[in-house]
Amino acid sequence: MSQPDTRAWWRDAAIYQVYVRSFADGNGDGVGDLAGVRARLPYLKDLGIDAIWFNPWYVSPQADGGYDVTDYREIDPLFGSLAEAEQLIAEAHALGIRVIVDVVPNHCSDQTPWFQAALAAGPGSPERERFWFRPGKGEHGELPPTNWTSNFGGGTWTRVTEPDGTPGEWYLHLFDGAQPDFNWDHPDVRQEFEDVLRFWFDRGADGIRIDSAALLTKDATLPEVGTVDKHPFEDRDDVHEVYRAWRRIAEEYGGRALIGEVWMPDVQRFTNYLRPDEMHTAFNLNYLCAPWDADKLREVIDETLSSHAPVQAPATWVLSNHDVTRHISRYGREDTSFSFKGRDFGTPFDLELGTRRARAAILLSLALPGSSYLYQGEELGLWEVEDIPDALKQDPMWHRTGGVDPGRDGCRVPLPWSGDEAPFGFSPDDAATEPWLPQPAAWKAYTAQAQTGDPASMLELYRKALHTRHAEPALGDGPMSWLDSAPQVLAFSRPGNPDVICVANLSTESAKLPAHSAVLVASGDLDGDNLPPDTTVWLRP
Ligand code: NOJ
Protein backbone atom coordinates (compact mmCIF):
# COMPACT_ATOMS: atom_id res chain seq x y z
CA MET A 1 0.00 0.00 0.00
CA SER A 2 1.43 3.36 -0.98
CA GLN A 3 1.92 6.12 1.56
CA PRO A 4 -0.37 9.15 1.20
CA ASP A 5 1.28 11.88 -0.82
CA THR A 6 1.19 14.81 1.55
CA ARG A 7 1.91 17.32 -1.19
CA ALA A 8 -0.83 16.10 -3.51
CA TRP A 9 -2.92 18.81 -5.17
CA TRP A 10 -6.24 17.62 -3.75
CA ARG A 11 -5.03 18.19 -0.20
CA ASP A 12 -5.54 21.95 -0.41
CA ALA A 13 -7.14 22.80 -3.75
CA ALA A 14 -9.96 25.32 -4.09
CA ILE A 15 -12.32 23.46 -6.40
CA TYR A 16 -15.03 25.26 -8.34
CA GLN A 17 -18.13 23.31 -9.26
CA VAL A 18 -19.49 23.92 -12.75
CA TYR A 19 -23.10 22.86 -13.30
CA VAL A 20 -22.70 23.00 -17.07
CA ARG A 21 -26.30 23.68 -18.08
CA SER A 22 -26.38 26.81 -15.93
CA PHE A 23 -22.86 28.19 -16.26
CA ALA A 24 -22.64 29.86 -19.69
CA ASP A 25 -24.43 29.24 -22.99
CA GLY A 26 -22.13 29.49 -26.00
CA ASN A 27 -24.54 28.52 -28.79
CA GLY A 28 -27.63 30.49 -27.79
CA ASP A 29 -30.03 27.62 -27.12
CA GLY A 30 -30.68 28.75 -23.54
CA VAL A 31 -28.67 25.89 -22.01
CA GLY A 32 -25.08 26.17 -20.79
CA ASP A 33 -22.48 24.23 -22.74
CA LEU A 34 -18.78 23.49 -23.12
CA ALA A 35 -18.27 26.42 -25.50
CA GLY A 36 -19.62 28.65 -22.73
CA VAL A 37 -17.20 27.17 -20.20
CA ARG A 38 -14.25 27.50 -22.56
CA ALA A 39 -15.00 31.18 -23.09
CA ARG A 40 -15.10 31.72 -19.31
CA LEU A 41 -11.93 29.87 -18.35
CA PRO A 42 -10.05 33.18 -17.98
CA TYR A 43 -12.70 34.27 -15.46
CA LEU A 44 -12.06 31.12 -13.42
CA LYS A 45 -8.32 31.58 -13.64
CA ASP A 46 -8.68 35.15 -12.45
CA LEU A 47 -10.96 34.02 -9.61
CA GLY A 48 -8.03 31.99 -8.31
CA ILE A 49 -9.37 28.44 -8.26
CA ASP A 50 -7.21 25.35 -8.69
CA ALA A 51 -9.61 22.86 -10.21
CA ILE A 52 -13.05 22.54 -11.77
CA TRP A 53 -15.51 19.77 -11.00
CA PHE A 54 -17.97 19.31 -13.85
CA ASN A 55 -21.37 17.83 -13.10
CA PRO A 56 -22.22 15.02 -15.56
CA TRP A 57 -21.83 16.15 -19.16
CA TYR A 58 -22.53 12.78 -20.78
CA VAL A 59 -25.25 11.74 -23.20
CA SER A 60 -28.43 11.67 -21.16
CA PRO A 61 -32.18 12.20 -21.51
CA GLN A 62 -31.70 14.74 -18.65
CA ALA A 63 -34.37 13.15 -16.47
CA ASP A 64 -32.21 14.10 -13.47
CA GLY A 65 -30.02 16.88 -14.80
CA GLY A 66 -27.63 14.39 -16.42
CA TYR A 67 -27.36 12.00 -13.45
CA ASP A 68 -29.20 9.57 -15.73
CA VAL A 69 -26.35 8.65 -18.06
CA THR A 70 -26.84 6.83 -21.36
CA ASP A 71 -23.23 6.91 -22.55
CA TYR A 72 -20.39 7.46 -20.07
CA ARG A 73 -17.88 7.99 -22.88
CA GLU A 74 -19.65 10.64 -24.97
CA ILE A 75 -20.73 14.23 -24.32
CA ASP A 76 -24.39 15.14 -24.64
CA PRO A 77 -24.89 17.10 -27.90
CA LEU A 78 -26.71 19.67 -25.73
CA PHE A 79 -23.30 20.53 -24.25
CA GLY A 80 -20.87 19.80 -27.10
CA SER A 81 -18.74 16.88 -28.22
CA LEU A 82 -16.02 14.65 -26.86
CA ALA A 83 -13.46 16.50 -28.98
CA GLU A 84 -14.57 19.72 -27.33
CA ALA A 85 -14.31 18.22 -23.85
CA GLU A 86 -10.76 17.19 -24.69
CA GLN A 87 -10.00 20.71 -25.85
CA LEU A 88 -11.54 22.12 -22.71
CA ILE A 89 -9.41 19.87 -20.51
CA ALA A 90 -6.29 20.89 -22.43
CA GLU A 91 -7.16 24.59 -22.16
CA ALA A 92 -7.84 24.31 -18.43
CA HIS A 93 -4.51 22.52 -17.97
CA ALA A 94 -2.73 25.24 -19.91
CA LEU A 95 -4.08 27.71 -17.36
CA GLY A 96 -2.96 25.51 -14.48
CA ILE A 97 -6.52 24.42 -13.65
CA ARG A 98 -7.23 20.75 -12.97
CA VAL A 99 -10.37 18.95 -14.12
CA ILE A 100 -12.62 16.60 -12.18
CA VAL A 101 -15.33 14.63 -13.99
CA ASP A 102 -18.44 13.21 -12.36
CA VAL A 103 -18.96 9.45 -12.61
CA VAL A 104 -22.36 8.00 -11.73
CA PRO A 105 -21.89 4.33 -10.85
CA ASN A 106 -24.99 3.52 -8.80
CA HIS A 107 -27.44 3.83 -11.67
CA CYS A 108 -27.71 4.73 -15.34
CA SER A 109 -30.43 5.97 -17.66
CA ASP A 110 -33.24 3.60 -18.59
CA GLN A 111 -32.22 4.37 -22.19
CA THR A 112 -28.83 2.59 -22.00
CA PRO A 113 -28.35 -0.33 -24.41
CA TRP A 114 -27.85 -2.57 -21.34
CA PHE A 115 -31.16 -1.64 -19.78
CA GLN A 116 -33.04 -1.77 -23.07
CA ALA A 117 -31.57 -5.22 -23.70
CA ALA A 118 -32.66 -6.29 -20.22
CA LEU A 119 -36.22 -5.18 -20.91
CA ALA A 120 -36.27 -6.99 -24.24
CA ALA A 121 -34.68 -10.20 -22.98
CA GLY A 122 -37.31 -10.91 -20.35
CA PRO A 123 -37.32 -12.57 -16.90
CA GLY A 124 -34.49 -14.92 -15.99
CA SER A 125 -32.21 -13.62 -18.76
CA PRO A 126 -28.54 -12.83 -18.22
CA GLU A 127 -29.24 -9.28 -19.46
CA ARG A 128 -31.50 -8.65 -16.46
CA GLU A 129 -28.78 -9.68 -14.04
CA ARG A 130 -26.86 -6.45 -14.57
CA PHE A 131 -29.75 -4.70 -12.81
CA TRP A 132 -32.14 -5.61 -10.00
CA PHE A 133 -35.15 -7.22 -11.59
CA ARG A 134 -37.49 -9.13 -9.28
CA PRO A 135 -41.01 -10.54 -9.41
CA GLY A 136 -43.51 -8.54 -7.41
CA LYS A 137 -45.27 -9.61 -4.27
CA GLY A 138 -49.02 -10.22 -4.00
CA GLU A 139 -51.18 -12.74 -5.80
CA HIS A 140 -50.36 -11.41 -9.26
CA GLY A 141 -47.02 -9.77 -8.55
CA GLU A 142 -48.79 -6.44 -8.36
CA LEU A 143 -46.91 -5.26 -5.26
CA PRO A 144 -43.29 -4.06 -5.27
CA PRO A 145 -40.65 -6.45 -3.89
CA THR A 146 -39.92 -4.11 -0.94
CA ASN A 147 -41.32 -0.95 0.57
CA TRP A 148 -38.07 1.01 0.36
CA THR A 149 -38.39 4.77 -0.17
CA SER A 150 -36.65 6.48 -3.07
CA ASN A 151 -34.28 9.36 -2.35
CA PHE A 152 -36.56 11.41 -4.57
CA GLY A 153 -39.77 10.36 -2.82
CA GLY A 154 -42.13 7.52 -3.71
CA GLY A 155 -41.11 3.87 -4.02
CA THR A 156 -37.91 2.37 -5.39
CA TRP A 157 -39.45 -0.14 -7.82
CA THR A 158 -41.13 0.22 -11.20
CA ARG A 159 -43.01 -2.59 -12.86
CA VAL A 160 -42.21 -3.36 -16.48
CA THR A 161 -44.32 -4.69 -19.30
CA GLU A 162 -42.74 -7.90 -20.56
CA PRO A 163 -41.94 -8.43 -24.25
CA ASP A 164 -45.15 -10.48 -24.58
CA GLY A 165 -47.20 -7.49 -23.39
CA THR A 166 -48.06 -8.79 -19.89
CA PRO A 167 -47.34 -6.88 -16.65
CA GLY A 168 -44.11 -8.35 -15.43
CA GLU A 169 -41.14 -7.92 -13.11
CA TRP A 170 -40.12 -4.87 -11.16
CA TYR A 171 -36.72 -3.13 -11.31
CA LEU A 172 -34.98 -1.22 -8.55
CA HIS A 173 -34.19 2.50 -8.65
CA LEU A 174 -33.07 4.29 -5.52
CA PHE A 175 -33.71 7.56 -7.37
CA ASP A 176 -36.08 8.21 -10.28
CA GLY A 177 -37.70 5.44 -12.35
CA ALA A 178 -35.60 6.66 -15.27
CA GLN A 179 -32.46 5.70 -13.28
CA PRO A 180 -32.28 1.90 -12.83
CA ASP A 181 -29.72 0.73 -10.23
CA PHE A 182 -26.83 -1.41 -11.41
CA ASN A 183 -26.18 -4.78 -9.81
CA TRP A 184 -22.64 -4.38 -8.47
CA ASP A 185 -22.36 -8.13 -7.85
CA HIS A 186 -22.12 -8.49 -11.63
CA PRO A 187 -18.60 -8.58 -13.10
CA ASP A 188 -19.70 -6.68 -16.24
CA VAL A 189 -20.67 -3.69 -14.10
CA ARG A 190 -17.33 -3.63 -12.29
CA GLN A 191 -15.42 -4.00 -15.54
CA GLU A 192 -17.44 -1.28 -17.25
CA PHE A 193 -16.70 1.33 -14.60
CA GLU A 194 -13.04 0.46 -14.36
CA ASP A 195 -12.93 1.07 -18.12
CA VAL A 196 -14.83 4.35 -17.75
CA LEU A 197 -12.30 5.54 -15.18
CA ARG A 198 -9.43 4.74 -17.53
CA PHE A 199 -11.26 6.41 -20.39
CA TRP A 200 -11.37 9.73 -18.55
CA PHE A 201 -7.92 9.41 -17.00
CA ASP A 202 -6.62 8.79 -20.53
CA ARG A 203 -8.26 12.05 -21.57
CA GLY A 204 -6.50 13.98 -18.85
CA ALA A 205 -9.07 14.03 -16.04
CA ASP A 206 -7.25 14.77 -12.78
CA GLY A 207 -10.03 13.50 -10.57
CA ILE A 208 -13.27 11.59 -10.45
CA ARG A 209 -16.22 12.72 -8.35
CA ILE A 210 -18.11 9.57 -7.38
CA ASP A 211 -21.87 10.03 -7.26
CA SER A 212 -23.94 8.37 -4.50
CA ALA A 213 -20.79 6.51 -3.51
CA ALA A 214 -22.16 4.69 -0.46
CA LEU A 215 -25.16 3.14 -2.24
CA LEU A 216 -23.66 0.82 -4.87
CA THR A 217 -23.87 -2.60 -3.24
CA LYS A 218 -27.10 -4.14 -1.98
CA ASP A 219 -28.25 -6.98 0.22
CA ALA A 220 -29.43 -9.44 -2.44
CA THR A 221 -32.02 -10.89 -0.06
CA LEU A 222 -33.76 -7.49 -0.20
CA PRO A 223 -34.94 -7.18 3.41
CA GLU A 224 -37.08 -4.26 4.53
CA VAL A 225 -35.10 -1.39 6.04
CA GLY A 226 -34.88 -1.79 9.81
CA THR A 227 -35.63 -5.53 9.90
CA VAL A 228 -31.96 -6.58 9.77
CA ASP A 229 -28.78 -5.26 11.38
CA LYS A 230 -27.21 -3.81 8.27
CA HIS A 231 -28.93 -1.39 5.98
CA PRO A 232 -29.88 -3.19 2.74
CA PHE A 233 -28.48 -0.53 0.42
CA GLU A 234 -26.55 2.11 2.36
CA ASP A 235 -22.90 1.97 3.35
CA ARG A 236 -22.52 -1.79 3.09
CA ASP A 237 -19.09 -3.19 3.92
CA ASP A 238 -18.53 -4.74 0.50
CA VAL A 239 -18.76 -1.36 -1.27
CA HIS A 240 -15.21 -0.62 -0.14
CA GLU A 241 -13.86 -3.33 -2.44
CA VAL A 242 -15.07 -1.26 -5.40
CA TYR A 243 -13.04 1.76 -4.29
CA ARG A 244 -9.96 -0.30 -3.54
CA ALA A 245 -10.00 -1.46 -7.16
CA TRP A 246 -10.52 2.13 -8.35
CA ARG A 247 -7.69 3.38 -6.17
CA ARG A 248 -5.33 0.91 -7.82
CA ILE A 249 -6.29 2.38 -11.19
CA ALA A 250 -5.82 5.96 -9.96
CA GLU A 251 -2.39 4.99 -8.61
CA GLU A 252 -1.38 3.52 -11.95
CA TYR A 253 -1.95 6.93 -13.53
CA GLY A 254 -0.56 8.92 -10.62
CA GLY A 255 -1.70 12.33 -9.40
CA ARG A 256 -5.39 11.51 -9.91
CA ALA A 257 -7.92 11.88 -7.13
CA LEU A 258 -11.07 9.97 -6.21
CA ILE A 259 -13.59 12.22 -4.50
CA GLY A 260 -16.63 10.68 -2.88
CA GLU A 261 -20.15 11.96 -2.52
CA VAL A 262 -20.82 10.21 0.76
CA TRP A 263 -23.79 11.45 2.81
CA MET A 264 -22.92 9.91 6.16
CA PRO A 265 -23.53 11.68 9.45
CA ASP A 266 -21.42 9.03 11.25
CA VAL A 267 -17.90 10.41 10.77
CA GLN A 268 -16.18 7.13 11.55
CA ARG A 269 -18.09 5.31 8.84
CA PHE A 270 -17.50 8.32 6.56
CA THR A 271 -13.75 8.16 6.95
CA ASN A 272 -13.76 4.44 6.16
CA TYR A 273 -14.09 5.62 2.56
CA LEU A 274 -10.88 7.62 2.97
CA ARG A 275 -8.59 4.85 4.12
CA PRO A 276 -5.24 5.00 2.33
CA ASP A 277 -6.24 2.38 -0.23
CA GLU A 278 -9.66 3.88 -1.05
CA MET A 279 -10.75 7.42 -2.01
CA HIS A 280 -8.51 10.45 -1.60
CA THR A 281 -11.14 12.86 -0.30
CA ALA A 282 -14.90 13.20 0.14
CA PHE A 283 -17.30 16.11 0.48
CA ASN A 284 -17.76 17.28 4.05
CA LEU A 285 -21.53 17.42 3.96
CA ASN A 286 -21.82 17.57 7.75
CA TYR A 287 -20.12 20.96 7.56
CA LEU A 288 -22.55 22.05 4.84
CA CYS A 289 -25.54 20.99 6.97
CA ALA A 290 -24.33 22.73 10.13
CA PRO A 291 -26.14 25.87 11.28
CA TRP A 292 -24.44 29.26 11.59
CA ASP A 293 -23.51 28.64 15.20
CA ALA A 294 -19.96 28.76 16.56
CA ASP A 295 -20.36 25.78 18.92
CA LYS A 296 -21.92 23.54 16.27
CA LEU A 297 -19.35 24.53 13.67
CA ARG A 298 -16.49 23.99 16.06
CA GLU A 299 -17.86 20.55 16.87
CA VAL A 300 -18.03 19.63 13.16
CA ILE A 301 -14.55 21.05 12.51
CA ASP A 302 -13.05 19.11 15.42
CA GLU A 303 -14.84 15.93 14.47
CA THR A 304 -13.74 16.31 10.87
CA LEU A 305 -10.09 16.86 11.70
CA SER A 306 -9.89 14.14 14.34
CA SER A 307 -11.60 11.56 12.14
CA HIS A 308 -9.51 12.36 9.06
CA ALA A 309 -6.17 12.34 10.88
CA PRO A 310 -5.91 8.56 11.44
CA VAL A 311 -6.46 7.85 7.73
CA GLN A 312 -4.24 10.79 6.73
CA ALA A 313 -6.89 12.13 4.37
CA PRO A 314 -7.33 15.86 3.90
CA ALA A 315 -10.53 17.46 5.14
CA THR A 316 -12.82 19.29 2.72
CA TRP A 317 -15.13 22.26 3.38
CA VAL A 318 -18.34 22.82 1.45
CA LEU A 319 -21.10 25.41 1.87
CA SER A 320 -23.27 24.77 -1.19
CA ASN A 321 -23.73 22.54 -4.21
CA HIS A 322 -26.32 21.81 -6.90
CA ASP A 323 -28.47 19.71 -4.53
CA VAL A 324 -28.95 22.07 -1.58
CA THR A 325 -30.49 25.45 -0.82
CA ARG A 326 -27.97 28.18 -1.60
CA HIS A 327 -26.30 29.16 1.66
CA ILE A 328 -27.03 32.89 1.35
CA SER A 329 -30.71 32.01 1.71
CA ARG A 330 -30.11 29.51 4.52
CA TYR A 331 -27.99 31.93 6.51
CA GLY A 332 -30.65 34.61 6.16
CA ARG A 333 -33.32 32.52 7.91
CA GLU A 334 -33.97 31.65 11.50
CA ASP A 335 -33.02 28.01 10.90
CA THR A 336 -29.62 28.27 9.24
CA SER A 337 -28.98 24.51 8.96
CA PHE A 338 -29.62 22.32 5.93
CA SER A 339 -31.48 19.05 5.74
CA PHE A 340 -33.34 17.49 2.83
CA LYS A 341 -36.27 16.78 5.13
CA GLY A 342 -36.72 20.29 6.38
CA ARG A 343 -36.17 22.27 3.19
CA ASP A 344 -37.34 25.70 4.17
CA PHE A 345 -38.90 27.39 1.17
CA GLY A 346 -41.32 30.24 1.31
CA THR A 347 -40.10 31.51 4.67
CA PRO A 348 -38.73 34.95 3.85
CA PHE A 349 -35.00 35.31 4.24
CA ASP A 350 -32.98 38.36 5.12
CA LEU A 351 -30.71 38.85 2.12
CA GLU A 352 -28.53 41.40 3.86
CA LEU A 353 -27.94 39.14 6.85
CA GLY A 354 -27.49 36.03 4.70
CA THR A 355 -24.94 37.85 2.56
CA ARG A 356 -22.97 39.11 5.55
CA ARG A 357 -22.83 35.61 7.02
CA ALA A 358 -21.95 34.05 3.66
CA ARG A 359 -19.01 36.45 3.39
CA ALA A 360 -17.89 35.48 6.87
CA ALA A 361 -18.46 31.78 6.16
CA ILE A 362 -16.29 31.65 3.05
CA LEU A 363 -13.34 33.25 4.86
CA LEU A 364 -13.80 30.76 7.69
CA SER A 365 -13.96 27.82 5.25
CA LEU A 366 -10.96 28.92 3.20
CA ALA A 367 -8.85 29.28 6.33
CA LEU A 368 -9.47 25.72 7.56
CA PRO A 369 -6.95 22.95 6.82
CA GLY A 370 -7.73 21.02 3.66
CA SER A 371 -9.47 21.70 0.37
CA SER A 372 -12.57 23.76 -0.35
CA TYR A 373 -15.45 23.33 -2.78
CA LEU A 374 -17.16 26.39 -4.24
CA TYR A 375 -20.45 26.13 -6.10
CA GLN A 376 -20.83 28.33 -9.16
CA GLY A 377 -22.66 31.56 -8.36
CA GLU A 378 -21.80 31.65 -4.67
CA GLU A 379 -18.91 33.95 -5.61
CA LEU A 380 -21.55 36.29 -7.04
CA GLY A 381 -23.65 36.19 -3.89
CA LEU A 382 -26.59 34.48 -5.60
CA TRP A 383 -29.51 33.27 -3.55
CA GLU A 384 -31.98 30.41 -3.97
CA VAL A 385 -34.64 31.37 -6.52
CA GLU A 386 -37.91 30.37 -4.90
CA ASP A 387 -40.48 31.69 -7.34
CA ILE A 388 -39.80 29.54 -10.39
CA PRO A 389 -43.20 28.80 -11.98
CA ASP A 390 -44.20 25.16 -11.44
CA ALA A 391 -44.51 24.59 -15.17
CA LEU A 392 -40.81 25.32 -15.62
CA LYS A 393 -39.52 23.13 -12.80
CA GLN A 394 -37.49 20.17 -13.95
CA ASP A 395 -36.24 18.48 -10.81
CA PRO A 396 -37.64 14.95 -10.32
CA MET A 397 -37.48 15.61 -6.58
CA TRP A 398 -40.22 18.19 -6.99
CA HIS A 399 -42.26 16.07 -9.39
CA ARG A 400 -41.99 12.81 -7.44
CA THR A 401 -43.03 14.38 -4.15
CA GLY A 402 -45.99 16.08 -5.77
CA GLY A 403 -44.44 19.44 -4.96
CA VAL A 404 -43.96 18.69 -1.24
CA ASP A 405 -40.21 19.04 -1.73
CA PRO A 406 -39.49 22.35 -3.46
CA GLY A 407 -36.81 20.64 -5.52
CA ARG A 408 -33.37 21.80 -6.53
CA ASP A 409 -34.10 24.04 -9.52
CA GLY A 410 -33.79 27.13 -7.33
CA CYS A 411 -30.03 26.69 -6.91
CA ARG A 412 -29.54 25.85 -10.59
CA VAL A 413 -30.68 29.08 -12.21
CA PRO A 414 -28.35 30.24 -15.03
CA LEU A 415 -25.58 32.61 -13.91
CA PRO A 416 -25.71 36.36 -14.56
CA TRP A 417 -22.54 37.56 -16.28
CA SER A 418 -23.19 41.05 -17.61
CA GLY A 419 -25.73 43.61 -18.74
CA ASP A 420 -28.92 45.02 -17.28
CA GLU A 421 -31.49 42.43 -18.19
CA ALA A 422 -31.96 38.69 -18.63
CA PRO A 423 -30.22 36.65 -19.92
CA PHE A 424 -27.47 38.80 -18.34
CA GLY A 425 -24.82 37.56 -20.75
CA PHE A 426 -25.59 33.91 -19.94
CA SER A 427 -26.51 33.45 -23.61
CA PRO A 428 -25.15 35.49 -26.52
CA ASP A 429 -26.99 38.79 -27.14
CA ASP A 430 -28.68 37.51 -30.29
CA ALA A 431 -29.86 34.22 -28.73
CA ALA A 432 -33.33 33.23 -29.86
CA THR A 433 -34.10 31.13 -26.78
CA GLU A 434 -34.44 32.24 -23.17
CA PRO A 435 -32.38 30.57 -20.42
CA TRP A 436 -33.82 27.21 -19.38
CA LEU A 437 -34.82 28.70 -16.02
CA PRO A 438 -35.76 32.37 -15.55
CA GLN A 439 -33.28 34.66 -13.78
CA PRO A 440 -34.49 37.23 -11.22
CA ALA A 441 -34.42 40.81 -12.54
CA ALA A 442 -32.57 41.80 -9.35
CA TRP A 443 -29.53 39.85 -10.57
CA LYS A 444 -28.73 42.94 -12.63
CA ALA A 445 -26.71 44.12 -9.63
CA TYR A 446 -25.10 40.67 -9.18
CA THR A 447 -23.49 40.08 -12.56
CA ALA A 448 -19.77 39.33 -12.68
CA GLN A 449 -19.38 42.53 -14.68
CA ALA A 450 -21.22 44.69 -12.14
CA GLN A 451 -19.12 43.32 -9.28
CA THR A 452 -15.74 43.45 -10.94
CA GLY A 453 -13.65 46.23 -9.49
CA ASP A 454 -16.07 46.92 -6.62
CA PRO A 455 -14.03 46.14 -3.50
CA ALA A 456 -17.22 45.66 -1.47
CA SER A 457 -18.61 42.97 -3.79
CA MET A 458 -18.79 39.26 -3.08
CA LEU A 459 -16.81 38.53 -6.23
CA GLU A 460 -13.89 40.72 -5.20
CA LEU A 461 -13.93 39.15 -1.73
CA TYR A 462 -13.64 35.68 -3.28
CA ARG A 463 -10.84 36.84 -5.58
CA LYS A 464 -8.91 38.41 -2.76
CA ALA A 465 -9.43 35.46 -0.42
CA LEU A 466 -8.44 32.84 -3.00
CA HIS A 467 -5.34 34.74 -4.08
CA THR A 468 -4.32 35.39 -0.48
CA ARG A 469 -4.86 31.72 0.36
CA HIS A 470 -2.45 30.83 -2.44
CA ALA A 471 0.15 33.31 -1.32
CA GLU A 472 0.08 32.27 2.34
CA PRO A 473 2.04 29.08 3.02
CA ALA A 474 0.14 28.63 6.31
CA LEU A 475 -3.23 28.19 4.57
CA GLY A 476 -4.47 25.08 2.80
CA ASP A 477 -3.22 21.76 4.17
CA GLY A 478 -1.46 21.73 7.52
CA PRO A 479 -2.08 22.09 11.24
CA MET A 480 -4.35 24.52 13.09
CA SER A 481 -4.83 25.32 16.74
CA TRP A 482 -7.73 26.97 18.49
CA LEU A 483 -7.14 30.24 20.29
CA ASP A 484 -9.05 31.44 23.33
CA SER A 485 -12.08 33.42 22.30
CA ALA A 486 -15.34 34.89 23.55
CA PRO A 487 -18.56 32.82 23.29
CA GLN A 488 -19.77 32.40 19.69
CA VAL A 489 -16.39 33.47 18.34
CA LEU A 490 -14.12 31.03 16.49
CA ALA A 491 -10.43 31.90 16.55
CA PHE A 492 -7.59 29.72 15.35
CA SER A 493 -4.05 29.98 14.25
CA ARG A 494 -2.45 28.43 11.16
CA PRO A 495 1.27 28.07 11.72
CA GLY A 496 3.28 28.54 8.55
CA ASN A 497 6.06 31.03 8.82
CA PRO A 498 4.49 33.50 8.61
CA ASP A 499 1.46 32.40 10.61
CA VAL A 500 -2.11 33.40 9.87
CA ILE A 501 -4.86 33.87 12.44
CA CYS A 502 -8.52 33.53 11.50
CA VAL A 503 -11.25 34.99 13.70
CA ALA A 504 -14.96 34.56 12.92
CA ASN A 505 -17.51 36.38 15.02
CA LEU A 506 -20.84 34.54 15.02
CA SER A 507 -22.16 36.39 18.06
CA THR A 508 -24.39 39.44 18.12
CA GLU A 509 -21.74 41.66 19.72
CA SER A 510 -18.42 43.04 18.59
CA ALA A 511 -15.43 40.92 19.59
CA LYS A 512 -11.98 42.19 20.52
CA LEU A 513 -9.38 41.06 17.97
CA PRO A 514 -6.21 39.32 19.16
CA ALA A 515 -2.92 41.22 18.83
CA HIS A 516 -1.90 41.46 15.19
CA SER A 517 0.48 43.29 12.94
CA ALA A 518 -1.71 43.38 9.81
CA VAL A 519 -5.14 42.58 8.45
CA LEU A 520 -4.87 40.28 5.43
CA VAL A 521 -8.52 39.96 4.41
CA ALA A 522 -11.78 40.87 6.16
CA SER A 523 -15.31 39.91 5.18
CA GLY A 524 -16.64 43.30 6.32
CA ASP A 525 -15.51 46.59 7.80
CA LEU A 526 -13.69 46.36 11.12
CA ASP A 527 -14.51 48.61 14.00
CA GLY A 528 -10.99 49.62 15.08
CA ASP A 529 -9.61 46.60 16.90
CA ASN A 530 -13.03 45.05 17.15
CA LEU A 531 -14.63 42.51 14.89
CA PRO A 532 -18.34 43.23 14.24
CA PRO A 533 -20.94 40.43 14.36
CA ASP A 534 -21.10 37.98 11.42
CA THR A 535 -17.65 39.01 10.23
CA THR A 536 -14.46 37.01 9.68
CA VAL A 537 -10.93 38.30 9.39
CA TRP A 538 -7.52 36.85 8.52
CA LEU A 539 -4.72 38.45 10.51
CA ARG A 540 -0.96 38.41 10.56
CA PRO A 541 0.05 37.99 14.23
C1 NOJ B 1 -26.31 13.00 -6.13
C2 NOJ B 1 -26.25 14.12 -7.12
O1 NOJ B 1 -25.49 15.17 -6.59
C3 NOJ B 1 -27.68 14.50 -7.40
O2 NOJ B 1 -27.78 15.69 -8.14
C4 NOJ B 1 -28.35 13.35 -8.10
O3 NOJ B 1 -29.72 13.65 -8.30
C5 NOJ B 1 -28.24 12.06 -7.29
N1 NOJ B 1 -26.92 11.86 -6.74
C6 NOJ B 1 -28.58 10.86 -8.14
O4 NOJ B 1 -27.57 10.65 -9.08
Side-chain angles (χ1 to χ4, degrees), residues 64 67 107 152 175 209 211-212 261 322-323 408 412:
D64 178 24
Y67 281 95
H107 46 267
F152 287 167
F175 294 89
R209 180 261 188 194
D211 186 67
S212 304
E261 189 216 12
H322 66 295
D323 290 330
R408 300 164 293 178
R412 300 173 176 181

Side-chain angles (χ1 to χ4, degrees), residues 110 114-123 127-128 133 160-163 171:
D110 60 357
W114 274 8
F115 191 72
Q116 289 298 316
L119 290 179
E127 286 85 349
R128 287 209 172 172
F133 279 87
V160 303
T161 303
E162 298 301 354
Y171 68 89

Side-chain angles (χ1 to χ4, degrees), residues 15 34 37 93 128 136 147 164 169 200 215 265 269 320 350 352 354 397 431-432 447 457 479 498 524:
I15 299 157
L34 301 193
V37 180
H93 285 171
R128 287 209 172 172
N147 289 318
D164 65 4
E169 291 190 321
W200 287 103
L215 303 182
R269 297 218 52 105
S320 276
D350 180 336
E352 207 263 328
M397 228 168 181
T447 63
S457 69

Side-chain angles (χ1 to χ4, degrees), residues 16 22-23 40 43-44 47 326-328 351 355 358-359 362 374-383 413-418 424 426 439 442-452 456-463 466:
Y16 185 94
S22 303
F23 185 72
R40 304 286 179 185
Y43 166 86
L44 295 175
L47 183 59
R326 280 194 178 273
H327 62 268
I328 286 219
L351 180 60
T355 302
R359 293 173 65 90
I362 191 63
L374 315 171
Y375 176 48
Q376 67 177 38
E378 66 171 74
E379 83 280 17
L380 300 176
L382 303 186
W383 56 90
V413 174
L415 295 192
W417 291 96
S418 57
F424 299 117
F426 170 72
Q439 302 157 301
W443 281 6
K444 172 182 163 180
Y446 291 82
T447 63
Q449 184 187 48
Q451 297 189 43
T452 296
S457 69
M458 187 70 95
L459 180 56
E460 292 298 352
L461 174 69
Y462 269 69
R463 285 183 176 144
L466 288 163

